[in-house]
Every structure is written in C-alpha cells, then in structure tokens.
Amino acid sequence: MANFAGGMAKGFAKGQIFNCVTGAGKCLLAGDGNAATGQAAADNPNAPQQVDNKQGSASTDGLPQFKGVRDWYREGGLQISKLSAEEAVVFKAQATEARGGIKDFLSKLNSNDTDFKNEVAQFYGLSGAGDRDFSILQDGLNTHGNEVMRLIDNAINNTSSVFRMAGSSHGAATGGRVFLGDPFWKGIQQAGTIIHEFSHVAGTGHNDSWTPELALKGLPGMRRDVLYQMPGTSDRLISLDRNIKNTYFFEFAVTRL
C-alpha cells in the first residue's frame, strides 16, 4: 500500500521497526518494572507505558548534529528533551507522510477495490470482504485510523507533545505524548514509527514483550483465532476486536498492504 521513504514498507522484515508505547496496551516505561495493562492504562493516561524492549545507551554517536545546546532531563526511565526547531521540521515532514499513508489506506478500504478489501480482511483473520463480520472490521479501522490522523494533525500544528528520546528505542508514548528515539533521527522507519506511536496514543496496544520480529510470529495465531470461529459469534467478535486494537496489526496493515 503506502510506499514510505527509506524502504519502510519492507524494513520491518529486518527488524528495523519501532517497538512501542502508550494507550490501552500492555506498556512499560524503560527502567520501570511494573507494566500497566489493558483498561487500567486506558483509564490512567499517566500510567507507565511500554518503550522499546531494548532501551540501549544514550549515545548520540552517528546522529545528525542539530544546532544549539540540548537540555536533557529524565522522566521515569527516559532521558528526553524538547525538539529543536530543526527537529520539529523533520518531525512535521515525516508526520505528514505518515498521515498520508493512513489516509490512502482508509481510502482504499472504503473504495470498490475488492482485492484490497479481501487482503485487509484476511490480514485480520476474516475469510474476505464478503465475510459477515467485515463491516465490523471496516468500521473499527475507520474509527481508529481517523483518530490517529487527528492526533497527528494536532502534533503537526503544535509539537509541544513530541520529544526527542535518547537511546536505541525507536519510540515511546505515554500520557498523550510521543518520544522519538535515536533511530528516528537517523532516518530509520520515521513515518512508520509515527504511525505506531500515535496509534498507541489513540488506544491500541500489544504484548509487552513483542518486538517487530515477535509480532510477525504472533499475529498469525491471532488471525487463526478469528478465522476458525463461526462468523457473528461472541468469541469470534472478541478475537476480531483484539486484532483491531493491536498496534502491530494496524501498523503493518497501513505500511504493508
């Protein structure tokens, strides 16, 4: 679907994607030993949220050197700073690209492109666009995708809720704020990281321990949980809802289909 710059559409197969943080998922701030899970995290916007599983060092070796003195401070287990003017420009450009990818995805999802709709349906575990439960999937993706775009628009207009984060994590999010790590500023998976983190802000989550590699191994089983149940049954709808609310499902759907 969306062909983001820098080979984002194919990068996650090599593990070059973002791990996570925020919203209603099981999430953990780096350095914090207690994970806030499920609805508890959704009810408490300040609950600790997940960061990349390997936080890494605070080294800035090899990073673009933006002008000015950086004022770092610690919050939870994160070392963060406000965006410089130059960094804000980079963020806005990549956020605009990420938003465009979501918009294109939803446009095709709501079009007469049956092949694409079949692909999305099967990606989430349905038999195809003619599946009895496809409209539920379509409505869920439209609702979530529009909310993510709204949040990205807000951040483009006012970057005060976006921060730079030291370390090897691609990104993190908590309390409605997004933190972008060293890989983002090195140009790695920039638009994809934004989709992932703002999807968390909008309320999706995933297993605490999941990296992109583990997500690729875990998603097929979650698809089967939907596919092998009778359409319209409560158990199937619970499994489908779980997939709709999984950050990696949304991220990969937008960037890969």
Side-chain angles (χ1 to χ4, degrees):
M1 144 93 213
N3 293 317
F4 293 133
M8 184 184 93
K10 301 195 182 291
F12 80 81
K14 299 180 180 179
Q16 293 182 332
I17 300 197
F18 18 77
N19 286 351
C20 107
V21 184
T22 274
K26 297 180 180 179
C27 293
L28 178 67
L29 274 177
D32 189 318
N34 298 310
T37 62
Q39 191 60 40
D43 292 341
N44 180 4
N46 294 316
Q49 309 294 338
Q50 180 186 351
V51 168
D52 219 349
N53 294 298
K54 294 183 179 179
Q55 176 65 16
S57 71
S59 171
T60 57
D61 292 346
L63 290 172
Q65 297 301 308
F66 294 100
K67 297 177 181 178
V69 177
R70 180 167 302 280
D71 183 17
W72 292 100
Y73 61 96
R74 298 200 69 84
E75 180 173 311
L78 303 178
Q79 185 176 1
I80 64 176
S81 71
K82 295 180 180 180
L83 298 186
S84 69
E86 291 170 287
E87 289 166 344
V89 171
V90 172
F91 166 76
K92 289 179 180 182
Q94 295 303 319
T96 299
E97 183 176 344
R99 187 195 187 285
I102 298 171
K103 182 179 179 181
D104 290 346
F105 173 80
L106 295 181
S107 177
K108 292 186 70 175
L109 181 67
N110 297 312
S111 72
N112 294 322
D113 189 340
T114 302
D115 289 341
F116 181 77
K117 290 194 284 190
N118 281 332
E119 190 175 6
V120 173
Q122 292 164 9
F123 183 75
Y124 276 86
L126 300 179
S127 60
D131 192 292
R132 172 178 173 177
D133 298 321
F134 179 74
S135 63
I136 295 174
L137 171 63
Q138 190 175 35
D139 289 346
L141 293 177
N142 275 309
T143 298
H144 181 66
N146 282 315
E147 175 62 8
V148 175
M149 288 195 292
R150 184 188 71 81
L151 292 167
I152 291 175
D153 284 341
N154 289 345
I156 291 173
N157 292 329
N158 182 359
T159 62
S160 63
S161 63
V162 181
F163 297 81
R164 181 163 181 166
M165 176 178 71
S168 61
S169 299
H170 286 263
T174 186
R177 295 174 299 165
V178 166
F179 307 90
L180 301 171
D182 290 352
F184 180 90
W185 303 109
K186 291 179 180 178
I188 300 172
Q189 308 300 352
Q190 290 172 310
T193 300
I194 290 170
I195 291 172
H196 190 100
E197 301 308 334
F198 280 92
S199 183
H200 276 304
V201 175
T204 65
H206 56 71
N207 187 294
D208 289 343
S209 63
W210 273 13
T211 61
E213 295 88 346
L214 291 176
L216 289 173
K217 295 178 180 178
L219 297 187
M222 295 175 69
R223 291 189 192 101
R224 289 193 294 271
D225 288 344
V226 174
L227 183 62
Y228 295 158
Q229 297 185 73
M230 290 293 293
T233 60
S234 60
D235 286 346
R236 192 191 205 216
L237 296 180
I238 289 171
S239 295
L240 179 60
D241 184 66
R242 178 193 61 183
N243 293 357
I244 292 171
K245 293 178 179 177
N246 183 285
T247 312
Y248 278 111
F249 262 110
F250 184 72
E251 171 199 329
F252 292 170
V254 173
T255 61
R256 294 285 292 180
L257 300 184

